[in-house]
Structures are given as C-alpha cells and as structure tokens.
Amino acid sequence: MSFQQTLTSLREQRKKVLVVGLGISGVESATFLARVGLRVVVCERQAESVFTQKSKFSASLPHLRANGVEVHFGVDGEQVVPLLADVGLVVLSPGVPLESAIVGTVRRLGVPYVSELELGIELHGGPAVVVTGSNGKSTTVSLLAHILHQGGVKARLCGNVGTPVISSEEIFERQDPKCRSTLVVEASSYQLEACTVLKPIVSVVLNISENHLERHGTMERYAAAKGRVLALQDSSDYLVVNADDSLVMSLARQSKAKRAVFGQAPISELQKAGDDWAHVAGPSHIQCRVGESLESYSMETSHLMGLHNRFNCAAAILAARRLGVSQTVIQLGLDSFAPLEHRLEPVSHGGRGLVFNDSKSTTVAASLAAVMTVRERYPSHRLVIMLGGLSKAGSWDPLLRAIKSGPGQVLPLICFGKDGPLLASHCKAHGLTCSVEPSLQSATERGMRTIQESDDAILLLTPGCASFDEFSDFEQRGTRFKEYVATTLR
C-alpha cells in the first residue's frame, strides 16, 4: 500500500497520525497532515516553557492549534502510550533516533512509522535525486539544482538543506506526477535511517567520515544509515559514488543500480569501478565519460575553491548528465554558481588580511577540507584558525596532523566555546600553540587583532564542532561571526 493510500485509509477510518518532534520537519508534517483532513497529534520531549523560550519554531504553535492539531509537551518513552490510542501512523522527525525510548514504545505497540523525508518524497511522486554524505551535501544539491534550472528543468531543492520535502505545494496539485518538479534532496543519516521504501532515480553518496557517532554509536551503523539511500535501487536507477572512499564503495557494491564514479584515482581504475566516471585530474578541469561520450569540464572560472568542491562538482556533473542536461549547460552552471553562505565564505571587512566564514564545517573532516583548500589557494599566507563549539565524538588527529605538517605558517590556533579547553588539550598534544577564548565573540576579536598586523594573514573560522553551546545552528554562528568581524573595525 502506498503512503497516499495509507493516508486515505486513515482519513476514512478517522484514525490519527502522531508526529514526533517539533522541529521544522515536525511542524511541516503536522501542517500538511491537518491540511489534507487528517486528525493530527504532535508530541515534543521538551517542556512547553523550554520550547517556547529556545525554539525558533515556537511561533508555529498558535497556527497548529488553530488548525485542530493536538500538541503535547514533555512526552517521552512510555508517556506516549495514551497518545497512541487510535493512531494509525507515526511520522518521525530527523532528530528522533530509532534507538530512542519513544520509538521503542511505538515499535513495541506495533504502530507503523515513517520518516518525514520518505513520506514527502513518496507523496510528491515526481522523480527524486537524493544526495547524502558526511560533507559537501548542501553545496552539491544547490549546484545540481542550479544546473537543472540553467537547463530549463523544473527542480525543487529540499530536504536537509532547509526546506522539508513534505512542504511542497505540488503534493496538493492534481497533475500527473511525471509533470512534477524533479526533487533535489539533501539527506542526512538522521533522515535516512528510518527509510524503508526510498528508491530515488538517482542517488549520490559523496563521502563517509566520522560524524554523528554520538547518535549512531559506530561507523558501521552510521554508514548503514547512509546506505539506505541506495538499498532499494535497481538497474533502472543511477548511483553516483566517490571511488576514492572505501566505505562508500563498500556500500556501492551492494547496489543493483547503474554505477557512476568520481575521484582522483587513475582513469583505468575508474573505468573498472563504474559504468560512467568523472576524473578530477587537477585544479583546472574534470574529465568524464558518460555512456559513449568523452567530455571535459573547465574549473578555471568556477567560484568554488578546493579539491573537495571539485569532487562535489564531479558528482553534480554525473547526476545532471543522467537527467539529460547538456554538457554546454552544465559548464554554464559550473561557471555561474555562487558559493553558499557559511561555506568558506569570504568576509569583506575593509581591513588588512583575509577573513573566511566556514561555520558550516561542524566536523573534523569538513574543517580539514577547509584548511587544505585555503592553503592550496593561498600557499604563502599565514593562517589563523578558529576551532570550537560543542565537540562531536571522533578523533581530531587528522586535522591537527595536517595543520602541523602542512605548508605555510600557522599562527597560534584559537580554541573557543564550551569545548575550547578540550580542543586546546588536543592541540598541545600535537605540539601546536593555541589560546583559549570563552566565546566566539572574544575569539573573533583575538583573531582580528592578529591578522590586522599583516597583509598576508588569513583568519579562518572553521569550527569542526556543533554550534549549540552558543547558537541555535551553524547559520546563526556564521552570521554572528560576520557581525563580530565588522564590529572590530568600528
């Protein structure tokens, strides 16, 4: 039975749908379900007073209640049992782990559940491209959507990039699903782990590195969650994977989809690994084989810096070609795409030195890519690196080894935020000089004083940590960073 049939059946039987979690996915799910005439109940683990004070979605409460949605706070584990009376389906928000007490209760009582991401994709019914990976997802989906728009393809950017899939107005339109937009979906491991029927026409796995181990526990379980994106694909579908990443390739070997690979590996190896391939030969171009066509794409005029972004471009090229976009249009898209905010974003401040806002780097691997990118572009500049926030599970060794051994001079690192002292201890263990600041603001002030002393210095905010010690998300952290930079010059 399709989800559309399931919802119709629930509506006819006057059954309820329970939405767990009141983040953006939960709010949009509840709004959609109420709009299609279902009885909706929402539960949130936080107390209402805490939610109202801290959540940026608290303003949605009056609207939900005005539309007949029951909202219950302070609910977890067995406390959900009374709410499950007459519930025929549970919709899980990404922030709700499958190992959580509340999902355990739902499973014990035999109530079916679904993730918001999967529900939205299935109800939309149009073609879907789903992109996952530890790093680079937002840039890749945004670039791919940009290329599709350049080629006149109606595409909708959604998912973890900010707009829940289920909020699409096309779901309500009476039209052939084949005429609907192509969904370009960014999918996190949180969103994928609960998927059971997901089958995109194109899936992309960019890379897998240590991330979210505080939720998944092990790299094996984390990789398995990512692997849900390709688990049900068949020979009619297309899989784009990183040939240089052994974890990604181990997942790819389990898939029945037609495989396209990208990477720096020799072309002979790429040819063995995939039906189509994209070779990232160096900073200037990407060479591809798509079907019988040999193609070359210039990166000389791209605004995206670094090897990791060339990998993102290679993945987007292969996906776009599969969707029928011409080589000429793809090149136009590569040339005209602007880097996303908070991703190695140059900050204009009117002073000496250079400043980059890389607040989006919330993992060690992402920060490593940022440091290598800046060094590649500015090999003779001195580098001031800001690390800090809430440290995630995993090792800092790859980043700190690269900082210590790489080219160019690194001035004392600045460790800030709640886990600043912890990061400083890691730095000192590697023989790196650092200072500790209590907040992003004081860290920025110290960094700006340092680079104002020289024209060849760069201040790089690349936290490698979550932002929740001071901020609601990485976007707020990056915005405040830019404000602090500007303030230091007044």
Side-chain angles (χ1 to χ4, degrees), residues 237-263:
D237 302 313
Y238 199 63
L239 171 62
V240 180
V241 288
N242 183 345
D244 294 354
D245 190 310
S246 59
L247 277 175
V248 171
M249 291 306 293
S250 68
L251 292 176
R253 283 188 283 270
Q254 303 169 25
S255 174
K256 298 178 182 177
K258 181 177 180 180
R259 188 190 305 168
V261 298
F262 60 90

Side-chain angles (χ1 to χ4, degrees), residues 342-386:
H342 311 302
R343 283 85 165 172
L344 276 178
E345 175 192 10
V347 178
S348 176
H349 62 88
R352 302 174 72 183
L354 299 171
V355 179
F356 286 95
N357 164 32
D358 191 47
S359 181
K360 177 65 169 65
S361 286
T362 60
T363 67
V364 171
S367 290
L368 175 58
V371 170
M372 293 176 67
T373 295
V374 172
R375 276 179 160 164
E376 178 186 69
R377 180 63 68 93
Y378 304 98
S380 63
H381 282 59
R382 296 183 294 170
L383 191 56
V384 181
I385 301 171
M386 293 172 54

Side-chain angles (χ1 to χ4, degrees), residues 261-474:
V261 298
F262 60 90
Q264 285 187 301
I267 290 176
S268 59
E269 292 185 20
L270 295 177
Q271 289 173 332
K272 294 176 184 177
D275 300 294
D276 297 335
W277 50 263
H279 183 228
V280 182
S284 62
H285 72 284
I286 296 172
Q287 186 177 355
C288 300
R289 183 182 182 91
V290 180
E292 298 301 316
S293 175
L294 280 175
E295 304 167 357
S296 183
Y297 296 86
S298 172
M299 296 299 296
E300 292 183 347
T301 54
S302 171
H303 301 289
L304 293 171
M305 295 193 302
L307 175 63
H308 67 294
N309 272 323
R310 295 195 289 276
F311 273 39
N312 296 337
C313 290
I317 289 168
L318 290 170
R321 290 293 281 126
R322 177 65 172 186
L323 295 170
V325 182
S326 70
Q327 182 180 353
T328 301
V329 168
I330 292 174
Q331 185 65 64
L332 289 172
L334 294 173
D335 294 342
S336 59
F337 180 73
L340 302 181
E341 187 178 16
H342 311 302
R343 283 85 165 172
L344 276 178
E345 175 192 10
V347 178
S348 176
H349 62 88
R352 302 174 72 183
L354 299 171
V355 179
F356 286 95
N357 164 32
D358 191 47
S359 181
K360 177 65 169 65
S361 286
T362 60
T363 67
V364 171
S367 290
L368 175 58
V371 170
M372 293 176 67
T373 295
V374 172
R375 276 179 160 164
E376 178 186 69
R377 180 63 68 93
Y378 304 98
S380 63
H381 282 59
R382 296 183 294 170
L383 191 56
V384 181
I385 301 171
M386 293 172 54
L387 304 172
L390 281 179
S391 183
K392 298 180 178 181
S395 173
W396 283 85
D397 288 352
L399 173 62
L400 299 179
R401 282 199 301 267
I403 290 173
K404 184 176 181 179
S405 62
Q409 181 184 3
V410 175
L411 299 176
L413 282 80
I414 304 173
C415 302
F416 67 91
K418 183 177 185 299
D419 285 333
L422 173 64
L423 301 185
S425 68
H426 288 305
C427 291
K428 291 172 183 177
H430 282 265
L432 293 167
T433 305
C434 64
S435 61
V436 179
E437 294 291 340
S439 67
L440 176 67
Q441 182 172 5
S442 61
T444 305
E445 291 169 353
R446 176 182 283 272
M448 288 298 292
R449 286 195 301 270
T450 303
I451 69 165
Q452 290 300 298
E453 299 171 359
S454 173
D455 288 327
D456 67 349
I458 295 174
L459 178 61
L460 170 62
L461 169 68
T462 183
C465 294
S467 58
F468 306 125
D469 58 331
E470 289 190 76
F471 308 103
S472 60
D473 48 38
F474 74 84

Side-chain angles (χ1 to χ4, degrees), residues 208-255:
I208 298 177
S209 59
E210 285 189 346
N211 197 8
H212 302 309
L213 298 188
E214 67 281 355
R215 169 153 167 171
H216 298 292
T218 66
M219 282 295 291
E220 289 75 18
R221 291 176 61 188
Y222 173 55
K226 294 290 189 186
R228 299 304 307 163
V229 74
L230 54 82
L232 297 181
Q233 286 188 296
D234 58 32
S235 59
S236 66
D237 302 313
Y238 199 63
L239 171 62
V240 180
V241 288
N242 183 345
D244 294 354
D245 190 310
S246 59
L247 277 175
V248 171
M249 291 306 293
S250 68
L251 292 176
R253 283 188 283 270
Q254 303 169 25
S255 174

